[in-house]
Amino acid sequence: QDLSLFLPPSMRNMLRGWPYYPLQVEGTMSGNMRKMHLSGIRLDLPTAFGFAADGFVEHLDDLKRLKADLDVKAQTYHVGFLVDALSPGLRKQVNIPHGIGMKGHFHIDGQQYTGNFTATQGGGSLKGVFRLNADRLAYTIRLAAGNLPLQHFLPGKGLSAFTGSVEASGEGFDILSPRTRLQAKARIGKLRYQGYSLDQMTAEATISHGKVH
């Protein structure tokens, strides 16, 4: 409550819905700044979320040489209060439903980040594999959705559950830069929007030399 005096109004709105329970932290950390082993790390906020991690982290004293290998699990319950941190206009557009689960394996080696994960909600799933070179901003990502209930995240938009895939690879994020490049493909297996079927649609896009093709 004391901290809320220094927070912007949107964050104060979120704190009003924050569960009235202490954050529970447990687990074992052993080692030093050169190599730290994590075992049974758990963060639990009753009625809101649970988070667990196991693995190791190396070179905490030199982020350019940072290495990590982590298995992560997370489960949300009622986290609608997080939406209150958004702008009033955005709060009307999006929702954070209860019951989001995630399992993943993540690896860091200096500026190289890789990982794979599976997220679930409402009987649907989203599986992903990614690779990022933070120095060059070069990335590759593959996502596959199976009956992912988009209508739970974007209510009132006429969306249905989504089955399909997205693949993208490129370098840079400034679309107007001549150095930025992107190749992306999307396939819709099953999706309805405002009552219209978009099943079996595909799309491809390429960005190079500051132009979209």
Side-chain angles (χ1 to χ4, degrees), residues 91-113:
R91 286 202 297 267
K92 298 178 181 179
Q93 304 294 323
V94 302
N95 179 51
I96 303 178
H98 70 278
I100 300 173
M102 192 278 290
K103 294 182 180 180
H105 181 84
F106 304 95
H107 184 80
I108 303 173
D109 187 354
Q111 297 299 299
Q112 297 281 350
Y113 298 80

Side-chain angles (χ1 to χ4, degrees), residues 8 20 34 39 42 62 68 80 94 102 116 124 131 144 170 190-191 210:
Y20 194 68
R34 286 192 170 185
S39 178
R42 288 194 58 86
D62 186 353
V94 302
M102 192 278 290
N116 61 80
R131 179 182 298 274
K190 185 177 181 181
L191 177 67

